[in-house]
Amino acid sequence: MAFALLRRSNRSAPRAAAPIPRGAGALDCVVLDPVQLPLHRAEVSVRDTEGREVVHGQTDPNGCFSATVAPGEYSIAVTSDGFQPVRQTCEATAGVRTAIGPMRMELAPSPAMPEPGRWKIDPDHTAVRFIARHIGLAEIHGRFNRFEGALWIADRMEDSQLEVTIDAASIDTGVEARDQHLRSQDFLDVTNYPYLQFASERFVHRGGSRWSVQGVLSLHGVSRSINLDTRYLGIGTGIMGETRTACSAATELHREDFTLDWRTMLARGIAAIGATIRIELDIQAIRDE
């Protein structure tokens, strides 16, 4: 019993501050939200007097961030989705832990939402990219050049819909021989499966400008549920005076979920593309009158 109490006591005890390297100073800051609660995963950037970033990181679950730096003057900038950025200057002294803050963040104004109705994706200002590992080493960056789609914005944003259709044969990694291989039966098999299609099922607000667009991706004759981690970027006006809305989104696909059998390909000596692929989208849409 005593041993169990001791273990619980040790777990709850605060960790001792890390020692400061010789000749360096330490900067400790605490980031709080508008109701004075610790803000987890806030981005913290420490820059010197010439504007060069010397440290970058995130706050821990207690809203704390610490860094050791050379003695001198620094600027600390804190950003977090849905909040207004805050900045503060400080001085690092050799052998001293300098406490900064607390740095309190206020809610940022919410960007205007698009008006209800159909918004057509503008292919000239939209990109569908992917990133994959090549033989487990360097990354391959590619894109699809032909696609179309639309957003149906509902009165209640959570009830909106997104549909995108991608021409599989338009895959482009900048190397024609590789692109032909990716179009073959070893990978996309564009003859039998000419399109990739995504249809959303619901929009889930994650706070600030973050949304999760949940839906079904159909690829290589298989349909799977995926989540697009989406950041809404707001409303703008194009060069012709047209109203535009924009967002960025990303997800990670596992090839074997779509019967692109990585292990079988390895057995056949085909190891050009890794088992997971990251998809990134930058979307602009125009109101379809």
Side-chain angles (χ1 to χ4, degrees):
M1 179 66 176
F3 181 62
L5 290 173
L6 178 61
R7 284 192 303 173
R8 283 199 294 269
S9 175
N10 287 340
R11 251 196 311 267
S12 61
R15 293 183 180 180
I20 303 174
R22 179 173 298 179
L27 302 177
D28 298 331
C29 75
V30 177
V31 180
L32 303 177
D33 68 12
V35 294
Q36 310 306 305
L37 293 176
L39 190 58
H40 187 200
R41 295 197 179 106
E43 298 284 340
V44 182
S45 176
V46 181
R47 295 181 179 271
D48 62 19
T49 54
E50 296 183 5
R52 295 173 298 199
E53 185 175 69
V54 295
V55 182
H56 184 96
Q58 293 184 331
T59 55
D60 66 16
N62 297 311
C64 299
F65 173 84
S66 297
T68 54
V69 295
E73 185 177 340
Y74 294 91
S75 171
I76 296 182
V78 182
T79 58
S80 185
D81 191 51
F83 296 90
Q84 298 185 53
V86 292
R87 293 176 177 82
Q88 187 169 325
T89 57
C90 61
E91 185 84 19
T93 304
V96 176
R97 303 198 74 89
T98 301
I100 304 158
M103 299 181 74
R104 296 182 173 87
M105 304 196 75
E106 299 296 332
L107 289 173
S110 298
M113 303 303 290
E115 293 183 359
R118 187 179 188 271
W119 293 70
K120 184 179 179 180
I121 291 176
D122 178 8
D124 292 336
H125 295 89
T126 296
V128 179
R129 301 183 301 271
F130 63 87
I131 303 169
R133 284 283 178 184
H134 179 235
I135 61 173
L137 298 175
E139 291 181 337
I140 291 175
H141 293 250
R143 59 184 293 153
F144 290 94
N145 293 323
R146 294 189 298 273
F147 48 83
E148 61 182 21
L151 281 157
W152 285 267
I153 303 300
D155 292 330
R156 181 175 175 269
M157 191 65 187
E158 287 79 355
D159 298 327
S160 300
Q161 297 178 26
L162 167 66
E163 290 186 2
V164 180
T165 299
I166 300 168
D167 183 348
S170 72
I171 192 168
D172 182 0
T173 65
V175 178
E176 183 57 29
R178 180 168 61 206
D179 294 343
Q180 290 292 348
H181 192 194
L182 292 173
R183 296 180 187 115
S184 73
Q185 291 183 348
D186 288 333
F187 292 95
L188 293 175
D189 192 5
V190 300
T191 300
N192 293 309
Y193 309 107
Y195 300 108
L196 293 73
Q197 294 178 308
F198 175 78
S200 70
E201 294 180 328
R202 62 174 181 158
F203 285 42
V204 179
H205 191 210
R206 298 300 189 192
S209 60
R210 295 286 180 181
W211 292 77
S212 176
V213 180
Q214 303 173 358
V216 175
L217 175 66
S218 298
L219 187 163
H220 204 256
V222 177
S223 297
R224 291 282 187 268
S225 295
I226 66 168
N227 292 331
L228 292 177
D229 182 13
T230 304
R231 183 181 181 190
Y232 174 61
L233 301 175
I235 299 288
T237 303
I239 194 170
M240 302 300 294
E242 75 280 10
T243 301
R244 294 175 171 268
T245 187
C247 68
S248 61
T251 191
E252 186 173 90
L253 305 181
H254 296 267
R255 279 180 30 186
E256 292 184 8
D257 288 345
F258 296 92
T259 68
L260 298 170
D261 194 333
W262 186 68
R263 293 184 182 87
T264 299
M265 291 180 184
L266 282 178
R268 294 163 55 197
I270 302 170
I273 305 295
T276 59
I277 301 173
R278 179 174 173 81
I279 305 294
E280 298 179 344
L281 302 96
D282 290 316
I283 297 174
Q284 285 193 34
I286 305 171
R287 181 67 183 271
D288 194 7
E289 301 294 344

